[in-house]
């Protein structure tokens, strides 16, 4: 029995051209056809095959009159060659993507307010630099996104803490406050009321965020401070299209992040009411895992989000002046 093959001798002797030969011959099972595909003479291909078989100490293919099927050990070598060539093709494709501006894959979760302006601006900025970067955006409430970030289903999250236990797991980079607007449709009777009281708000049906979301918590606090209960005639949803459709189809009231309704306010789909409730803004930011360093693309994306927030604050300050 020939001596065992050492890893060092394998690495020193095997070449990718040998792997191509093994794969091509396994597919064609014919020396002449394999030589033609590899643009070699048949004697040159035959010598290359003998050389690599000698390194292993056993034949890879049977020499039959009309065919060259793999031997039992050869079949194992063929599978290795095909897997190695597939991996090398993937490697080459990824290198070309990186050279052409690709930068891997980024999974980002964002609360609804962030997807109106914050996320799109950062995505446009990073895609200008890395056009082949693949970005997946998941829009959800903070409580759902926190679980996804904990389960490594997200690289980055834009939102806020809803449970204190997550503060030990995630770093928080503040972005900007989220202001709220009290809105109805353009034909709602409250549009004619110049002095709306909290009690008047509870007389109408509402569209609310679900229990446990930060906006719902803030609204419940505002109703408690006003001494009135949360309206029982209500529909709960996190879907912005559902919010707008319900507001259009019935005399309902909603409290929504202002960034999400700027366009609807400008085109008259909804009207903003003077709000008698104490609804202070909620700050949100970028959350990342403490136990896993960010990729280069993810770090750059966080930097762009923070810089975008800083720039918007500056522009808002100039308008206020």
């Amino acid at each position: 029995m020939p001596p065992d093959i050492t890893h060092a001798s394998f690495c020193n002797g095997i070449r990718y051209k040998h792997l191509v030969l093994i794969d091509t011959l396994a597919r064609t099972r014919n020396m002449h056809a394999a030589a033609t595909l590899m643009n070699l003479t048949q004697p040159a291909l035959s010598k290359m095959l003998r050389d690599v078989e000698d390194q292993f100490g056993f034949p890879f293919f049977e020499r039959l009159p009309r065919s060259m099927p793999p031997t039992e050990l050869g079949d194992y070598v063929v599978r290795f060659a095909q897997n190695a060539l597939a991996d090398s093709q993937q490697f080459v494709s990824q290198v070309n993507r990186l050279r052409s501006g690709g930068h891997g894959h980024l999974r980002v979760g964002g609360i609804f307010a962030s997807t109106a302006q914050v996320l799109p601006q950062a995505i446009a900025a990073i895609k200008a630099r890395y056009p082949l970067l693949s970005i997946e955006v998941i829009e959800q409430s903070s409580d759902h996104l926190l679980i996804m970030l904990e389960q490594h289903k997200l690289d980055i999250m834009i939102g806020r803490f809803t449970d204190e236990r997550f503060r030990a797991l995630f770093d928080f980079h503040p972005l900007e406050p989220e202001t709220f607007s009290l809105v109805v449709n353009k034909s709602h009777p409250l549009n004619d009321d110049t002095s709306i009281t909290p009690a008047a708000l509870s007389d109408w049906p509402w569209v609310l965020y679900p229990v446990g979301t930060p906006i719902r918590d803030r609204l419940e606090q505002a109703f408690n401070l006003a001494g009135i209960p949360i309206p029982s005639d209500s529909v709960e949803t996190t879907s912005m299209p559902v919010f707008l459709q319900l507001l259009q189809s019935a005399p309902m009231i909603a409290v929504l992040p202002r960034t999400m309704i700027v366009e609807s306010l400008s085109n008259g789909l909804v009207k903003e009411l003077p709000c008698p409730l104490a609804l202070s803004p909620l700050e949100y930011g970028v959350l990342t895992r403490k136990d896993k360093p960010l990729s280069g693309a993810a770090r750059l994306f966080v930097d762009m989000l923070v810089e975008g927030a800083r720039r918007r604050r500056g522009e808002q300050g100039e308008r206020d002046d």
Side-chain angles (χ1 to χ4, degrees), residues 231-305:
S232 56
D233 184 359
S234 64
V235 176
E236 295 185 1
T237 183
T238 59
S239 169
M240 187 61 183
V242 172
F243 265 106
L244 293 176
Q245 187 59 43
L246 288 174
L247 287 171
Q248 289 299 304
S249 60
M252 305 187 82
I253 304 174
V255 167
L256 292 169
R258 187 171 182 83
T259 54
M260 296 176 64
I261 56 169
V262 170
E263 184 176 350
S264 297
L265 287 170
S266 64
N267 61 28
L269 287 178
V270 296
K271 296 287 186 180
E272 185 173 13
L273 298 177
C275 185
L277 300 174
L279 286 171
S280 57
L282 279 173
E283 187 172 57
Y284 64 91
V286 184
L287 287 88
T288 57
R289 287 189 299 272
K290 292 182 177 181
D291 63 346
K292 183 179 179 181
L294 293 174
S295 67
R299 286 196 304 272
L300 178 61
F301 195 68
V302 172
D303 291 343
M304 288 179 168
L305 286 165

Side-chain angles (χ1 to χ4, degrees), residues 155-203:
D155 300 305
I156 296 169
M157 169 192 159
I158 303 173
R160 54 179 69 88
F161 289 112
T162 60
D163 190 316
E164 286 300 311
R165 76 177 181 89
F166 290 114
R167 294 186 183 274
L169 302 178
F170 309 138
D171 290 320
F172 181 81
H173 310 273
L175 290 179
E176 53 197 37
E178 179 181 43
T179 57
F180 304 107
S181 294
L182 183 71
V183 293
V184 295
N185 65 35
K186 59 185 178 182
S187 60
H188 198 288
L190 284 178
N191 283 312
D192 300 324
D193 194 337
T194 57
S195 57
I196 300 172
T197 64
L201 296 178
S202 62
D203 293 335

